[in-house]
Amino acid sequence: MKKEKIKYYISGLLLITVLMACCVSAAADANVCSLTLNCLVNVDNIDKPVADDNFAVIKIADCSINQSGNNTILDYKTVHRFELFDRRWADVPSSELRMLSKEIAKDVTLDDYSYIKKTDSNGTVRFPLNEPGFYLVIRLHAVDDKISFEPFLISVPQIINNEINFDVVSYPKFEYIINDTDDPERINSDSIRISDTDTDASDGGKNIERLPQTGQMNLPIVVLLCLGIPMIFIGIILITGEKENEEK
């Protein structure tokens, strides 16, 4: 009788473990996309964070993920609001994307903003995106108006070496503009522009890296599986022992 009760307890624990694993998997799948901006500006050869600036993300096109043989393909469909700017987004060169980003940025309104967030003290801001898409990033407010910024278009997710990356990191292009009135020793020029980084996010986000977010979301699943597997073996041993006792 005691062994039968233990068997039921173990079965219940196994069921709970499976349900928890399913819940964690569903939570992870519900929020698979993210866009992180690392905002740095180079001033006198020192990278400084662009902190407390407000940025907005606007979805320009929906994105579907298709498989063609061994290749993963991203297909885009411009949303109705921005049909005027419709393009075959996967084929648009970076120079045209840069021009389009400026044109679309002039056309957007407050109602178009999908997400609004502020950079932290490190110049970093992360946008958890509800779904894949082709997005426009604009700056709403700048703490230092001497730091220039260009809006840019970027795909989330992206495909690198035929592997799909749902957690996209971008290094937007900032420039620190110094007028000759600020520093009389500067050469005679209306302004001197100091490029901030070697990465221009308007290139469609080719320079990206994988964030640890996905691994963090999967960690509970691994823990649950590690707990569940020993319980399965214990259950099998108890059931086998019970059958042997019945046969005797």
Side-chain angles (χ1 to χ4, degrees), residues 13 18 21 27-28 35 38 55 64 67 69 76 83 94 107 114 117 130 136-137 171 196 201 219 222 224 227:
L13 288 172
V18 172
L35 173 62
N38 284 335
F55 290 85
S64 59
Q67 202 71 26
Y76 305 98
E83 281 184 346
S94 58
D107 187 64
S114 302
K117 279 197 170 186
N130 291 331
L136 173 71
V137 179
Y171 293 81
D196 64 321
L219 183 58
V222 176
L224 290 172
L227 293 174

Side-chain angles (χ1 to χ4, degrees), residues 40-192:
L40 300 171
V41 61
N42 188 285
V43 182
D44 294 330
N45 296 320
I46 299 175
D47 286 335
K48 296 184 177 181
V50 181
D52 296 324
D53 277 14
N54 279 315
F55 290 85
V57 174
I58 302 104
K59 188 167 79 168
I60 305 301
D62 294 315
C63 175
S64 59
I65 304 168
N66 301 313
Q67 202 71 26
S68 178
N70 295 326
N71 297 321
T72 303
I73 300 173
L74 300 179
D75 291 325
Y76 305 98
K77 182 178 180 182
T78 306
V79 298
H80 178 72
R81 165 67 178 85
F82 297 103
E83 281 184 346
L84 178 64
F85 304 97
D86 187 29
R87 297 288 192 284
R88 291 178 59 88
W89 297 108
D91 301 327
V92 180
S94 58
S95 57
E96 186 177 348
L97 283 177
R98 184 178 181 182
M99 178 189 67
L100 282 169
S101 62
K102 294 178 182 179
E103 292 182 7
I104 300 173
K106 293 178 182 178
D107 187 64
V108 298
T109 64
L110 182 62
D111 293 335
D112 298 319
Y113 300 161
S114 302
Y115 309 89
I116 301 175
K117 279 197 170 186
K118 182 186 293 186
T119 54
D120 60 19
S121 59
N122 296 316
T124 302
V125 58
R126 181 180 180 276
F127 295 92
L129 307 177
N130 291 331
E131 54 191 358
F134 202 69
Y135 291 91
L136 173 71
V137 179
I138 63 175
R139 183 171 63 172
L140 302 179
H141 170 73
V143 173
D144 188 347
D145 57 9
K146 291 181 181 179
I147 301 176
S148 69
F149 168 83
E150 287 187 4
F152 64 92
L153 292 159
I154 190 168
S155 173
V156 182
Q158 297 185 353
I159 298 175
I160 304 296
N161 297 326
N162 205 36
E163 290 188 3
I164 191 161
N165 179 22
F166 289 98
D167 299 314
V168 177
V169 177
S170 177
Y171 293 81
K173 184 176 182 179
F174 294 89
E175 290 183 342
Y176 193 78
I177 304 173
I178 302 177
N179 297 320
D180 56 351
T181 54
D182 297 327
D183 188 351
E185 296 182 1
R186 294 283 182 177
I187 61 174
N188 291 329
S189 173
D190 291 337
S191 65
I192 299 175

Side-chain angles (χ1 to χ4, degrees), residues 3 236-246:
K3 288 185 177 180
I236 292 173
I237 293 170
L238 290 175
I239 293 171
T240 302
E242 185 177 350
K243 287 183 178 179
E244 290 178 353
N245 291 333
E246 290 176 356

